[in-house]
Amino acid sequence: MKAVLARRHGSPESLVVEDIAPLQAGPGEVIVSVHASAVNFPDTLIIENRYQFKPALPFSPGGEVAGTVKQVGEGVQGFAQGDRVIAVCGWGGYAEEVRTVPEKLVALPAGIDMEAAAALVITYGTSHYALKDRAALQPGETLLVLGAAGGTGISAVELGKLMGARVIAAASTDEKLALCRAHGADETINYTSEDLRERIKALTDGRGVDVVYDPVGGSYTEPALRSMAWRGRYLVIGFTAGEIPKPALNLVLLKGCSIVGVFYGGFAQAEPVRYQAFMDELVGWLAQGRIRPAITERYPLEQAAQALRVVADRKATGKIMLTTALGRGEG
């Protein structure tokens, strides 16, 4: 089978594509034939050894895939050969097969597109947990989404709107903001041509926003924090800008607001029952068409480095997907 491998830590261009032996399921393991694999920002970090999880070399990046169960190992219950699944594997997904365990599989109902399914867990799962649990977002509140046109940002826009919030989307180009509006944003801010803080003030009549969803960090953090309403919640999602900001904590005091960390992987491990309930709700919304991942680019598995480069350079609009020969109907 084909696999994209990191044989040393480095940039996307350091990855290699190789033919390796098909995987075999050991006791308690499941082998999934991959149809589609999502390209996520953490994939750019894990290959540079800068992520929370640090797999031993060589390994394949790719934290979430959709496909069909190829083989189940001894003792596995609840899944059988041929089942349609999402695998939240953490790494290993940039390949035609991935080895995982039942606890990291999500059953996929018939009729759900494999690419949409592969785009669900890391982005929508993170945003769902962030907005529902960490922010306790309420209908009628105002949500500001930074980096709103990326895969995670678009999911926050959609879910915020689904949960009844007024959504303000901030991104760097008018093209990106058009995508945000198509996915439910009520208002938009182009933070390369507009003053972020002044625009927020104008859109909220000076009140500020109740929740900030920030996967970007860098120079946008302080003006967004200064734009919080009383009892606001600032969600720390990630740092795609590359800089981990050091906000002035006196702002938290004066605003009576909270800075809240969002670590979805930690939530899945620490609270597996609630994690599964959240996932069931997301899969249900996807099946009902209430959320629709914005898949804007597709690359064959062999071009994983090019796809990762787009994400690493923050040029992605919407979600980028890798497809295998099986997913393209060639297998």
Side-chain angles (χ1 to χ4, degrees):
M1 71 156 186
K2 283 187 170 57
V4 178
L5 297 176
R7 291 200 167 276
R8 61 182 177 87
H9 295 122
S11 67
E13 291 73 22
S14 68
L15 296 171
V16 296
V17 181
E18 295 183 6
D19 285 306
I20 63 174
L23 302 179
Q24 298 295 319
E29 295 180 339
V30 179
I31 305 301
V32 176
S33 295
V34 176
H35 289 235
S37 180
V39 180
N40 293 297
F41 185 73
D43 299 337
T44 71
L45 300 177
I46 201 167
I47 63 173
E48 295 181 348
N49 203 32
R50 295 194 297 126
Y51 196 52
Q52 292 97 323
F53 304 118
K54 300 181 184 297
L57 294 170
F59 69 93
S60 176
E64 61 178 336
V65 308
T68 54
V69 173
K70 178 184 177 183
Q71 185 184 44
V72 296
E74 181 183 352
V76 170
Q77 297 181 349
F79 294 96
Q81 185 178 8
D83 285 353
R84 305 173 83 246
V85 294
I86 303 169
V88 192
C89 44
W91 60 87
Y94 287 11
E96 292 182 326
E97 297 175 4
V98 65
R99 178 187 286 110
T100 188
V101 293
E103 293 77 18
K104 294 187 177 181
L105 295 179
V106 178
L108 189 59
I112 295 181
D113 176 75
M114 286 285 188
E115 291 184 359
L120 184 68
V121 176
I122 291 179
T123 53
Y124 282 85
T126 296
S127 296
H128 188 215
Y129 167 59
L131 298 177
K132 181 173 181 174
D133 183 285
R134 303 300 284 147
L137 181 67
Q138 299 299 307
E141 289 192 315
T142 299
L143 166 67
L144 170 67
V145 181
L146 302 178
T152 303
I154 283 291
S155 71
V157 169
E158 277 200 306
L159 289 171
K161 193 65 179 174
L162 181 61
M163 295 169 69
R166 180 191 183 215
V167 180
I168 301 173
S172 59
T173 71
D174 290 340
E175 176 190 12
K176 291 180 177 181
L177 293 174
L179 180 68
C180 296
R181 285 191 291 271
H183 283 262
D186 297 289
E187 306 286 353
T188 58
I189 301 173
N190 184 328
Y191 44 45
T192 58
S193 60
E194 299 176 286
D195 184 286
L196 180 61
R197 191 178 176 201
E198 290 302 316
R199 182 68 172 142
I200 294 171
K201 188 181 297 185
L203 290 174
T204 63
D205 294 325
R207 178 183 176 276
V209 296
D210 299 292
V211 176
V212 174
Y213 181 98
D214 183 7
V216 180
S219 61
Y220 300 120
T221 295
E222 184 166 327
L225 183 59
R226 289 182 180 275
S227 302
M228 298 292 292
W230 181 253
R231 291 187 179 272
R233 290 85 75 200
Y234 197 108
L235 298 170
V236 180
I237 310 296
F239 313 102
T240 59
E243 175 190 345
I244 298 177
K246 300 176 177 61
L249 293 183
N250 65 305
L251 296 175
V252 181
L253 183 153
L254 295 172
K255 295 286 183 177
C257 67
S258 304
I259 297 177
V260 185
V262 179
F263 181 22
Y264 187 55
F267 168 61
Q269 291 183 352
E271 303 180 55
V273 175
R274 294 189 70 234
Y275 164 80
Q276 187 58 55
F278 275 42
M279 185 53 57
D280 290 345
E281 185 171 49
L282 270 184
V283 172
W285 284 343
L286 183 62
Q288 296 161 16
R290 301 182 72 186
I291 54 176
R292 47 190 181 93
I295 299 169
T296 55
E297 295 185 70
R298 295 168 177 82
Y299 291 78
L301 180 67
E302 295 80 359
Q303 294 180 16
Q306 293 94 312
L308 269 179
R309 173 50 60 194
V310 174
V311 173
D313 290 346
R314 297 183 59 204
K315 294 180 179 179
T317 300
K319 192 72 173 178
I320 296 178
M321 196 63 54
L322 297 179
T323 59
T324 65
L326 182 61
R328 296 190 298 271
E330 301 169 7

